Amino acid sequence: MNKSEIQEQYRWDLSDLFTSDDEWEEAFKAVRENAEAFKGFKGRILESPERLYEAIKEHEKVSRMITNVLTYARLRKDENTKNATYQSMTARAEKLATEISEMGSFFTPEILSAAYETIKEMSLYPPLKMYEQFFEDLFRSKKHTLSEEMESVLAQVGELGDVPSNTYGMLLNADMTFEDAVDAKGDPHKLTNGSYIQLMMSADRTLRQDAFGKYYKVYEGHINTIATLLQSEVNKNIFFSKVRKHPSAREAALFQNNIPTSVPDQLIEAVNANLETFYKYMKLRKKVLGLDELHLYDIYRPIVTNVDFDIPYEEAKTMVTESLGLLGENYQKTIREAFEQRWIDVYETEGKRSGAYSWGTYDSKPYILLNHKDNIDSMFTLTHELGHSMHSYLTRENQPYVYGNYSIFLAEVASTTNEALLNDYLLKNIHDEDKKKYILNHYLEQFRGTIFRQTMFAEFERDIHDHVEKGGALTAEFLCDHYLNLNKKYFGPDVVIDDAIKYEWARIPHMYYNFYVYQYATGFSAAIALSNAILKEGEPAVKCYTEFLSSGSKDYPIDILRKAGADMETEAPVNNALALFTSAVEELEALL
């Protein structure tokens, strides 16, 4: 479907960024002019508290401008990745962002050239008081910050560092095409990155098997190219970690948010220690589906199969909005505004970026890209992305620009809390017993897809970085073999591990997100803890949760989450979530 065929109410409105491409062009020119003017602060930032404050504000101004320019271009490109105009605008904006970063590369080293005590004394100047956390975090990174000359070089290298992920994105979204999948009747079904999971949920096993084989056949045809891109991405991560004097790429990635390596390590250990429970769920799936062999193309098929559970988008909007009533009238009111003010680009169209995300700037709506299907999974995706957007909205409403974003470590908490509240709402308000079984199965699938699957990805990501750091190479053969073995370990004895799954790593864009994926699992665990508190305690927990959503980056993420009620430096949230999974498996088994 072409985007022009979609009703306006289902397309996002980017006008609060720029009303036209021409306006974007004017802003593009203005960014460079402001960046040139900012260079006038070089060598003068520490002249006085007043000058320091002025420099920070001008630095923020340029940052906001380039972020708006870059975000608009990327959002437009994601509407249709084949559109050459927006490909060009995005490339120009990324190049400009690198230039701006290089032009302002003196800013951080110049502040860090002073003693921390000097900066703390300057912070007694009232307008600078709000930057205390900013300065503390800045000086925490002092030993990893290089000279002005080296920072300038790294800024220039930054654009090259984006090549693997950008190339992968174009290959995945613009260049890959798939042969139609065929069902048991011989009828064709369009196979795309966006439709693949939908086909995997089909009741027609012939269709599932055909889609599975044809989908990964395409990835197999590109596997050496994608392996080379992933090798380059890992090399980039290792390069920057070494240059900045971190012990490893993983420690460099976690340092940014002050997360100890014990957090992802204990996640992987806890999940591996509880794989027997996951095996039990797979065994139940095999039994209920009545299969002699449970294959990986059977994994997405709901095991409660006699349920008609189509949910049109308008109905999904209503259910999602009502399910979030526990979070208060203001929260619900803003959710309605998200629909009315066109935060969301809803349906899959030709060339559109696959998947879903929430993205915007401090000055814009927190936009949402979807590829919506009229099913329960898409409804959960809708509330998931609204969780991200509400987190962004409340942060920007309550924090100044310097703290106007939240760390990646916190990013998946609000989204998954929304999902947990929707799950509870459906179980309480749907009285059809088969539909309740379906929802319970869906809840277990959230565990499978978030805690178990994302932890497997995290283990894979950790292992491939370790392999390269020890002198190994990421050949297609190594990547495929290691990924295949992880699947065998995680799925256990009751699942046939089809050989084609060894190519699945090649379809996961998060492998280019620099140790992002473990945070889906930790975020899910934290969200289970916070949503349970909201359901049991009511207003006191809602108040703590709203403060969490409004905190941005005014404190370290571990501390923000601890104040909200989930201490991720302990094993409790992950183990409690896994205990809940065990209980849910037993409950569904009893019902079936």
Side-chain angles (χ1 to χ4, degrees):
M1 185 180 296
N2 191 282
K3 189 171 184 66
S4 62
E5 301 175 54
I6 302 294
Q7 294 180 44
E8 187 179 76
Q9 63 182 315
Y10 302 122
R11 290 183 278 161
W12 55 22
D13 174 17
L14 303 184
S15 62
D16 58 345
L17 275 170
F18 299 102
T19 58
S20 67
D21 294 352
D22 289 339
E23 186 179 16
W24 180 89
E25 291 287 355
E26 291 300 315
F28 185 92
K29 296 173 186 175
V31 176
R32 182 176 280 108
E33 293 170 1
N34 278 267
E36 288 286 353
F38 178 71
K39 286 167 65 177
F41 284 98
K42 186 175 180 178
R44 304 175 55 216
I45 292 176
L46 299 174
E47 286 179 349
S48 66
E50 292 82 2
R51 184 71 69 215
L52 175 58
Y53 177 71
E54 186 181 353
I56 290 173
K57 297 307 289 184
E58 287 302 310
H59 187 264
E60 289 180 352
K61 178 182 177 182
V62 174
S63 174
R64 288 172 77 162
M65 292 175 72
I66 187 59
T67 301
N68 288 337
V69 165
L70 183 58
T71 300
Y72 177 85
R74 285 179 171 171
L75 292 174
R76 285 297 189 205
K77 187 187 81 167
D78 285 352
E79 291 176 344
N80 183 357
T81 58
K82 298 179 182 180
N83 187 308
T85 297
Y86 295 120
Q87 289 178 14
S88 174
M89 285 172 60
T90 298
R92 289 169 58 208
E94 289 172 347
K95 180 173 174 50
L96 179 62
T98 299
E99 292 174 8
I100 298 303
S101 179
E102 191 277 329
M103 290 164 69
S105 59
F106 65 89
F107 176 72
T108 297
E110 194 164 323
I111 294 176
L112 292 177
S113 69
Y116 186 34
E117 292 302 319
T118 300
I119 296 298
K120 290 202 324 191
E121 186 175 338
M122 294 177 79
S123 297
L124 296 175
Y125 175 57
L128 284 175
K129 188 166 182 59
M130 64 180 283
Y131 291 96
E132 287 179 347
Q133 172 66 19
F134 168 74
F135 289 134
E136 179 183 324
D137 199 39
L138 196 63
F139 276 83
R140 185 177 65 89
S141 66
K142 184 171 184 175
K143 65 180 179 180
H144 303 293
T145 303
L146 309 178
S147 67
E148 178 188 333
E149 181 181 8
M150 282 298 296
E151 288 293 340
S152 175
V153 170
L154 289 185
Q156 294 175 65
V157 171
E159 186 176 5
L160 296 177
D162 291 334
V163 170
S165 60
N166 288 344
T167 305
Y168 173 79
M170 291 302 295
L171 178 64
L172 195 70
N173 297 303
D175 293 344
M176 278 190 176
T177 56
F178 302 85
E179 183 182 350
D180 286 350
V182 178
D183 64 23
K185 297 179 180 178
D187 294 331
H189 297 256
K190 189 171 181 60
L191 177 60
T192 67
N193 281 310
S195 69
Y196 173 69
I197 297 300
Q198 177 82 1
L199 295 175
M200 287 296 98
M201 296 176 68
S202 171
D204 188 327
R205 197 177 191 217
T206 299
L207 176 60
R208 297 200 305 269
Q209 183 176 4
D210 194 56
F212 182 86
K214 288 176 176 174
Y215 187 70
Y216 286 115
K217 189 70 175 176
V218 173
Y219 281 93
E220 180 184 5
H222 294 281
I223 201 66
N224 290 300
T225 297
I226 300 175
T228 301
L229 291 173
L230 187 55
Q231 169 83 68
S232 299
E233 178 71 14
V234 171
N235 286 345
K236 177 197 76 174
N237 296 339
I238 294 171
F239 167 77
F240 280 108
S241 70
K242 285 182 176 179
V243 170
R244 293 202 177 278
K245 303 172 186 175
H246 290 280
S248 69
R250 188 170 69 136
E251 288 179 75
L254 270 61
F255 177 85
Q256 182 179 357
N257 293 316
N258 203 23
I259 307 296
T261 55
S262 61
V263 172
D265 282 342
Q266 70 184 14
L267 167 71
I268 293 170
E269 290 169 8
V271 170
N272 273 267
N274 284 273
L275 285 175
E276 287 294 334
T277 301
F278 188 60
Y279 300 164
K280 184 176 181 180
Y281 176 49
M282 290 298 102
K283 189 172 185 178
L284 175 63
R285 168 174 284 278
K286 177 181 177 181
K287 176 183 176 183
V288 174
L289 290 178
L291 299 173
D292 293 331
E293 291 185 338
L294 182 70
H295 286 256
L296 289 171
Y297 50 78
D298 300 316
I299 296 302
Y300 290 93
R301 174 63 186 153
I303 59 176
V304 182
T305 56
N306 57 340
V307 180
D308 181 11
F309 217 149
D310 291 340
I311 305 175
Y313 180 67
E314 290 297 327
E315 186 178 338
K317 283 166 54 178
T318 300
M319 286 185 171
V320 166
T321 304
E322 291 179 357
S323 73
L324 299 172
L326 287 171
L327 298 180
E329 291 182 12
N330 287 337
Y331 193 100
Q332 270 191 319
K333 177 175 177 289
T334 308
I335 291 293
R336 293 189 183 97
E337 289 175 357
F339 297 127
E340 295 164 2
Q341 297 175 7
R342 295 169 52 203
W343 294 11
I344 308 170
D345 200 79
V346 179
Y347 294 110
E348 181 179 9
T349 51
E350 184 180 356
K352 186 176 179 180
R353 185 191 187 276
S354 63
Y357 63 67
S358 169
W359 193 16
T361 75
Y362 191 82
D363 301 302
S364 79
K365 300 179 179 75
Y367 294 108
I368 294 172
L369 178 140
L370 301 175
N371 283 276
H372 189 85
K373 310 291 183 186
D374 289 341
N375 60 35
I376 192 168
D377 281 310
S378 283
M379 180 170 69
F380 272 92
T381 298
L382 172 62
T383 200
H384 180 101
E385 299 304 336
L386 281 167
H388 285 309
S389 287
M390 285 299 298
H391 195 176
S392 299
Y393 178 85
L394 288 170
T395 288
R396 292 162 190 166
E397 284 283 299
N398 291 279
Q399 296 299 328
Y401 181 77
V402 66
Y403 307 126
N405 210 339
Y406 44 85
S407 76
I408 291 174
F409 185 74
L410 301 179
E412 298 303 329
V413 176
S415 55
T416 312
T417 297
N418 269 21
E419 290 193 61
L421 294 177
L422 176 58
N423 186 79
D424 181 78
Y425 169 86
L426 293 174
L427 288 173
K428 289 176 178 175
N429 289 278
I430 292 179
H431 304 295
D432 182 286
E433 185 172 331
D434 287 333
K435 286 187 175 181
K436 284 192 173 185
K437 294 176 187 176
Y438 187 98
I439 295 163
L440 186 58
N441 176 213
H442 186 273
Y443 188 44
L444 290 171
E445 284 297 286
Q446 288 179 295
F447 275 92
R448 180 189 66 79
T450 307
I451 289 193
F452 292 99
R453 181 173 170 81
Q454 299 300 329
T455 301
M456 184 178 75
F457 290 165
E459 189 169 347
F460 179 72
E461 187 176 23
R462 181 196 67 183
D463 292 350
I464 64 175
H465 280 78
D466 285 347
H467 181 68
V468 176
E469 286 173 330
K470 292 174 181 175
L474 297 184
T475 63
E477 182 180 10
F478 172 83
L479 290 163
C480 290
D481 287 348
H482 191 62
Y483 192 80
L484 185 64
N485 287 331
L486 282 176
N487 272 271
K488 291 176 180 177
K489 179 175 75 169
Y490 272 76
F491 281 100
D494 289 291
V495 181
V496 176
I497 305 302
D498 304 272
D499 192 63
I501 201 64
K502 68 185 181 184
Y503 304 114
E504 186 184 41
W505 62 267
R507 68 172 284 254
I508 310 301
H510 294 76
M511 294 304 165
Y512 299 82
Y513 288 15
N514 195 15
F515 293 97
Y516 186 105
V517 290
Y518 84 93
Q519 293 160 122
Y520 283 110
T522 54
F524 187 95
S525 302
I528 294 299
L530 299 183
S531 60
N532 281 346
I534 290 166
L535 290 166
K536 292 177 181 177
E537 300 170 18
E539 184 57 33
V542 170
K543 183 179 178 182
C544 288
Y545 183 66
T546 303
E547 289 175 358
F548 160 76
L549 295 178
S550 305
S551 294
S553 56
K554 72 175 184 179
D555 203 345
Y556 293 118
I558 282 280
D559 297 323
I560 289 174
L561 204 48
R562 186 183 292 112
K563 291 173 187 174
D567 188 351
M568 301 310 297
E569 288 193 275
T570 71
E571 297 180 353
V574 175
N575 284 335
N576 289 342
L578 290 169
L580 187 60
F581 175 78
T582 301
S583 175
V585 170
E586 292 171 353
E587 183 179 354
L588 182 61
E589 187 173 26
L591 289 172
L592 293 171

